[in-house]
């Protein structure tokens, strides 16, 4: 997706969205012209904030990954046209106008958005509201020719899917899906409740898909998200708030953050999806990439730990040398206490930035 952004001169969402929608019959079904939809895509793309991570490239990446997961497998024909249209719209706008700040930060800092949405799924409600309000107020209103019933259905489904991307609801949604899977009739997807649950999980997989990509691409995404984390940490320090875990650029620990991300969130989610989805080829590729990326970050974490241990040993030797010097002075002091000798200055080793050395960084190759 980084390469697509480069090739399209900064319009990955516009081109990927156009490519996907042209391969469906959704627009004629809902009386939406292709030109209007393309203009709407461009407008949505321009509403994405220029952040390191939650930007238009991420939006295009999630749209592509979600479409592949939900609508290119055995379940593609289970969804109704209005469910498909609503889901694609949700994927396009799922992080629109992002602040680059977590829900927890917005609540703790008493941000006006948190006040407006009563501390509940603050970013996600904002994304939904901004997408709909911007669309309805524009000349590119893709909802203009929908019936009242169609519009209300699209809005209900799109909001439901966007809210499902709130990481505060992650375990609740995943647990509910796993419970549903135990019902042997669940995979028939006969009820809309079950179909929307599958779309929620597919969108979550798209949203958290970075470790499922080849290592060089996944690494780029990791660096993007860490920089956005550090910017939040800078704001927290500036406001006198406790700096959140892994968001302090003064004490970086990218490897530990990424291993934890995979272990706690990505692996359980994708294992569940893989057990539901029977696309052997894509399942194999995802499992391989997630496993490889975890091993990569584990190796980086080990290298960082060894480097830190080496520095601690050096600091310990300096401290012991100083202690021995002080003890010698105390034991051999004469009856008349002389002036206190001037001790040599001690060089205190500083903690280094625990990023990969430049020579060890993966080559900046791009892949779509």
């Amino acid at each position: 997706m980084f390469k697509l952004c480069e090739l399209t001169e900064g319009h990955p969402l516009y081109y990927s969205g156009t490519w996907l929608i042209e391969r469906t019959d959704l627009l004629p079904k809902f009386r939406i012209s292709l030109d209007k939809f393309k203009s709407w895509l461009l407008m949505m793309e321009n509403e994405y904030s220029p952040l390191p991570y939650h930007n238009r490239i991420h939006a295009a990446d999630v749209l592509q990954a979600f479409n592949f997961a939900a609508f290119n497998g055995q379940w593609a024909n289970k969804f109704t046209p209005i469910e498909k249209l609503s889901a694609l719209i949700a994927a396009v706008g799922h992080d629109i106008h992002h602040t680059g700040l977590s829900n927890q930060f917005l609540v703790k800092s008493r941000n006006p958005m948190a006040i407006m949405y009563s501390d509940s799924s603050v970013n996600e409600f904002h994304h939904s509201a901004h997408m709909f309000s911007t669309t309805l107020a524009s000349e590119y209103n893709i909802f203009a020719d929908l019936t009242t019933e169609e519009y209300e259905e699209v809005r209900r489904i799109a909001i439901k899917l966007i809210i499902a991307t709130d990481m505060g609801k992650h375990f609740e949604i995943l647990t509910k899906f796993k419970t549903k899977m135990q019902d042997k009739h669940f995979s028939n997807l006969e009820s809309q409740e079950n179909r929307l649950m599958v779309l929620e999980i597919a969108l979550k997989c798209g949203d958290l898909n970075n470790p499922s990509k080849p290592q060089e691409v996944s690494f780029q995404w990791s660096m993007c998200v860490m920089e956005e984390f550090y910017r939040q940490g800078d704001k927290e320090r500036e406001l006198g708030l406790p700096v959140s875990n892994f968001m302090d650029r003064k004490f970086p620990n990218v490897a530990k953050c990424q291993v934890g991300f995979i272990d706690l969130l990505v692996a359980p989610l994708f294992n569940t999806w893989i057990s539901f989805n029977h696309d052997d080829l894509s399942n194999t590729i995802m499992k391989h990439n997630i496993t490889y990326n975890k091993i990569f970050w584990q190796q980086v974490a080990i290298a960082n730990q060894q480097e830190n241990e080496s520095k601690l040993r050096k600091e310990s030797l300096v401290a012991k040398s100083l202690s021995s010097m002080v003890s010698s002075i105390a034991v051999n002091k004469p009856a008349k206490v002389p002036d206190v000798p001037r001790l040599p200055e001690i060089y205190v080793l500083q903690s280094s930035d625990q990023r990969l050395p430049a020579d060890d960084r993966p080559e900046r190759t791009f892949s779509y």
Side-chain angles (χ1 to χ4, degrees), residues 207-274:
D207 201 25
L208 302 182
N209 83 88
N210 302 342
S212 71
K213 294 184 178 297
Q215 193 270 322
E216 65 274 11
V217 178
S218 179
F219 181 86
Q220 286 179 272
W221 282 119
S222 297
M223 296 300 100
C224 291
V225 76
M226 292 309 301
E227 174 55 30
E228 197 162 302
F229 280 179
Y230 294 151
R231 292 186 184 186
Q232 174 171 316
D234 294 342
K235 287 182 179 292
E236 288 172 332
R237 179 175 285 107
E238 181 182 330
L239 294 173
L241 297 171
V243 179
S244 301
N245 286 341
F246 304 116
M247 295 189 180
D248 193 339
R249 69 171 73 246
K250 293 183 178 180
F251 303 99
N253 201 336
V254 179
K256 185 177 180 180
C257 178
Q258 293 303 306
V259 171
F261 174 55
I262 293 173
D263 279 344
L264 185 63
L265 300 173
V266 176
L269 174 64
F270 276 81
N271 283 336
T272 301
W273 177 255
I274 286 169

Side-chain angles (χ1 to χ4, degrees), residues 46 54 59 80 82 90-91 114 197 206-207 213 221 285 297 327 334 346:
N46 288 335
H54 289 104
T80 67
I82 201 164
M197 194 174 298
D207 201 25
K213 294 184 178 297
W221 282 119
I285 293 172
W297 286 115
S327 298
I346 303 299

Side-chain angles (χ1 to χ4, degrees), residues 255-317:
K256 185 177 180 180
C257 178
Q258 293 303 306
V259 171
F261 174 55
I262 293 173
D263 279 344
L264 185 63
L265 300 173
V266 176
L269 174 64
F270 276 81
N271 283 336
T272 301
W273 177 255
I274 286 169
S275 67
F276 174 74
N277 177 43
H278 301 301
D279 185 338
D280 292 338
L281 178 59
S282 66
N283 288 349
T284 299
I285 293 172
M286 288 189 294
K287 285 192 290 187
H288 169 81
N289 287 340
I290 292 171
T291 301
Y292 183 86
N293 283 314
K294 178 181 174 180
I295 292 172
F296 168 78
W297 286 115
Q298 285 176 324
Q299 291 173 340
V300 174
I302 291 172
N304 286 343
Q305 183 177 357
Q306 290 174 341
E307 179 185 358
N308 290 338
E309 289 175 352
S310 175
K311 289 179 179 179
L312 286 174
R313 284 194 293 270
K314 291 177 182 178
E315 290 175 348
S316 177
L317 288 174

Side-chain angles (χ1 to χ4, degrees), residues 129-173:
H130 191 81
M131 179 180 71
F132 276 99
S133 61
T134 302
T135 300
L136 293 172
S138 78
E139 59 184 304
Y140 311 121
N141 180 7
I142 58 173
F143 308 128
D145 293 321
L146 271 61
T147 66
T148 300
E149 292 76 15
E150 288 170 340
Y151 170 73
E152 290 175 352
E153 182 76 346
V154 167
R155 180 168 164 78
R156 180 180 67 85
I157 294 173
I159 292 174
K160 179 177 177 60
L161 296 184
I162 292 174
I163 299 306
T165 64
D166 178 3
M167 293 310 300
K169 299 180 180 296
H170 178 81
F171 296 105
E172 173 190 345
I173 292 173

Side-chain angles (χ1 to χ4, degrees), residues 52-222:
Y53 182 77
H54 289 104
N55 52 40
R56 58 180 61 186
I57 309 176
H58 169 70
D61 187 60
V62 171
L63 174 62
Q64 182 272 331
F66 166 72
N67 181 75
F68 179 80
F71 302 139
N72 283 277
Q74 57 183 318
W75 319 114
N77 296 325
K78 299 284 188 179
F79 302 101
T80 67
I82 201 164
E83 288 167 353
K84 290 182 179 180
L85 178 67
S86 306
L88 291 175
I89 289 172
V92 168
H94 83 284
D95 271 335
I96 197 168
H97 207 249
H98 204 290
T99 60
L101 304 167
S102 69
N103 286 338
Q104 292 85 350
F105 175 88
L106 295 173
V107 171
K108 287 190 300 182
S109 62
R110 303 179 184 181
N111 186 279
M113 278 171 47
I115 304 302
M116 177 181 294
Y117 298 115
S118 301
D119 298 346
S120 178
S121 300
V122 179
N123 274 310
E124 292 71 29
F125 276 119
H126 175 67
H127 303 323
S128 300
H130 191 81
M131 179 180 71
F132 276 99
S133 61
T134 302
T135 300
L136 293 172
S138 78
E139 59 184 304
Y140 311 121
N141 180 7
I142 58 173
F143 308 128
D145 293 321
L146 271 61
T147 66
T148 300
E149 292 76 15
E150 288 170 340
Y151 170 73
E152 290 175 352
E153 182 76 346
V154 167
R155 180 168 164 78
R156 180 180 67 85
I157 294 173
I159 292 174
K160 179 177 177 60
L161 296 184
I162 292 174
I163 299 306
T165 64
D166 178 3
M167 293 310 300
K169 299 180 180 296
H170 178 81
F171 296 105
E172 173 190 345
I173 292 173
L174 185 58
T175 300
K176 187 176 179 180
F177 184 73
K178 292 165 79 171
T179 301
K180 280 282 190 178
M181 283 176 57
Q182 297 175 9
D183 181 350
K184 62 180 180 180
H185 301 297
F186 174 70
S187 60
N188 295 330
L189 301 185
E190 293 177 351
S191 71
Q192 187 181 71
E193 178 189 0
N194 290 348
R195 293 194 298 273
L196 295 188
M197 194 174 298
V198 171
L199 292 178
E200 285 180 339
I201 296 297
L203 185 56
K204 290 178 69 61
C205 286
D207 201 25
L208 302 182
N209 83 88
N210 302 342
S212 71
K213 294 184 178 297
Q215 193 270 322
E216 65 274 11
V217 178
S218 179
F219 181 86
Q220 286 179 272
W221 282 119
S222 297

